[in-house]
Amino acid sequence: MSDFLKMTSGAPEGFFEGLEGKALSPGWAKKKPQMWPEPRSRYVPAVWRYADARAALDQACNFVSPEQAERRNLILVNPIEDNIYPTCRHLVGAYQLVLPGETARSHRHSPNALRLVLDAGSETFTIVNGVKVDVAEGDVVLTPSWHWHGHSNFGDEPAFWLDFLDVPLVQNLESMFFENHPERDESVASHEPDSPLRHKGVDLVAGMRERGTVEIAPEGLKTIGLHAIGLTQGQSHGSERRIDNNIYVVTAGEVRINVENLGALTLERGDVVVVPCWHEYNIEGCSSWSQLVRVTDEPVMKALGFVNVMQS
Ligand SMILES: [Fe+2]
């Protein structure tokens, strides 16, 4: 006799059908377990290449109009069945291209967001709550929850960046709000090249050269943690299995990654790897100097009091 039959035997005829009609389910005969001994990630480790995304975005310019510039992006969709959006459980990333002369329309949303600038010429900027914030290669620019933001490229070079947002988390929490700016493009009230929302690439490099790892804007976003990590040749960064989800972007040089259930791969500038929770990983510098930015949902886990129980 199967376990299910054992657990359901002895019930009067029609008992379980009756429960179904009342939206009740017997806890002693669950169809699937609802707790398990340690984390199980629905998402898998995966890699995205900047060269692939850049080539596809260049092509997309031929048919995605400047009017749709804010949506001319390529989402890093975790390659599991039936997934159309998240990169991992709580975060999503996307490569975006804004061409010279284009403005991506202003909007605001409850999800927190940030941009990591891969390539940009002069006169590229973001307007956050009316403040014009210049951006340059290697910069990290924060747009916390419910801050208006729009992006312009008034220079001569195409601007490529990576967006990261906590949209999947906000969807799970069912606390989504979104609004387009009533004027399409928010007007500039002031100019702050040194805005606290901007973390300049040059400053991050100086910090990494001095200290190896730099925590970018602690508490800057309540749900997303950011670190800049510098590696000399042969130097390693990694972790045993952990409960948070981590995305790494190479911002300089070349690294060799080795991730449980993915294997060993070499990544170059602009490439991305996602390491969902409970996957051991190691990243080793292959160039004389390489740099990474780590994007993590660790602040969510800490704020909620979840820790690596197995290691505590
Ligand atoms: Fe946005």
Side-chain angles (χ1 to χ4, degrees):
M1 192 190 282
S2 75
D3 285 350
F4 185 76
L5 279 178
K6 268 187 228 158
M7 287 184 287
T8 55
S9 67
E13 176 125 11
F15 176 80
F16 292 104
E17 292 77 0
L19 287 182
E20 266 182 41
K22 297 179 180 72
L24 292 167
S25 177
W28 66 91
K30 287 191 194 75
K31 292 188 175 114
K32 279 185 189 174
Q34 298 301 322
M35 291 197 219
W36 33 87
E38 57 181 44
R40 281 185 196 172
S41 178
R42 172 170 134 70
Y43 298 89
V44 294
V47 158
W48 292 266
R49 303 286 183 182
Y50 182 30
D52 292 341
R54 211 177 148 134
L57 285 169
D58 281 338
Q59 273 191 310
C61 290
N62 297 324
F63 56 91
V64 182
S65 70
E67 268 302 296
Q68 295 174 293
E70 83 273 13
R71 278 180 286 170
R72 195 193 294 116
N73 59 22
L74 290 171
I75 301 158
L76 314 183
V77 181
N78 196 280
I80 53 167
E81 208 175 344
D82 294 332
N83 183 34
I84 58 162
Y85 187 68
T87 306
C88 55
R89 176 58 78 178
H90 298 141
L91 300 170
V92 65
Y95 287 101
Q96 182 160 23
L97 163 59
V98 176
L99 290 171
E102 286 186 342
T103 295
R105 68 177 296 165
S106 297
H107 61 252
R108 61 181 174 178
H109 36 68
S110 46
N112 293 278
L114 65 108
R115 260 145 292 284
L116 168 58
V117 181
L118 295 173
D119 285 289
S122 59
E123 287 302 307
T124 307
F125 55 88
T126 288
I127 300 167
V128 188
N129 280 353
V131 178
K132 179 180 167 185
V133 180
D134 304 279
V135 302
E137 185 187 319
D139 288 1
V140 172
V141 181
L142 310 182
T143 50
S145 177
W146 213 236
H147 282 51
W148 291 113
H149 55 280
H151 318 286
S152 292
N153 180 357
F154 290 170
D156 302 323
E157 307 285 326
F160 291 90
W161 57 70
L162 272 160
D163 283 317
F164 291 101
L165 302 96
D166 60 6
V167 171
L169 172 70
V170 176
Q171 288 174 343
N172 287 335
L173 295 171
E174 298 193 333
S175 49
M176 183 69 69
F177 291 92
F178 176 96
E179 176 172 39
N180 278 318
H181 198 279
E183 294 162 17
R184 187 192 189 279
D185 302 326
E186 188 184 13
S187 40
V188 175
S190 63
H191 182 201
E192 278 187 40
D194 298 319
S195 160
L197 296 175
R198 179 188 184 193
H199 300 270
K200 292 182 189 171
V202 287
D203 295 338
L204 297 177
V205 173
M208 284 184 275
R209 292 273 186 191
E210 197 185 298
R211 308 193 291 284
T213 296
V214 178
E215 187 173 5
I216 307 169
E219 315 281 320
L221 299 176
K222 287 188 168 65
T223 55
I224 307 176
L226 294 160
H227 296 83
I229 299 153
L231 297 174
T232 53
Q233 187 147 22
Q235 199 177 1
S236 276
H237 165 89
S239 177
E240 295 180 347
R241 292 170 166 182
R242 47 192 300 132
I243 59 164
D244 45 57
N245 297 280
N246 290 276
I247 302 173
Y248 288 89
V249 184
V250 181
T251 54
E254 233 178 57
V255 300
R256 185 86 174 152
I257 60 162
N258 201 337
V259 184
E260 188 177 352
N261 293 341
L262 179 69
L265 289 163
T266 301
L267 302 189
E268 298 172 5
R269 194 179 83 86
D271 293 350
V272 177
V273 59
V274 63
V275 185
C277 73
W278 227 242
H279 288 82
E280 193 175 341
Y281 65 99
N282 185 65
I283 303 173
E284 185 182 317
C286 296
S287 321
S288 56
W289 175 252
S290 52
Q291 295 170 190
L292 300 143
V293 169
R294 172 185 172 222
V295 183
T296 177
D297 59 5
E298 190 178 7
V300 175
M301 301 307 187
K302 283 190 171 163
L304 296 178
F306 295 119
V307 292
N308 288 306
V309 174
M310 305 295 280
Q311 291 153 18
S312 67

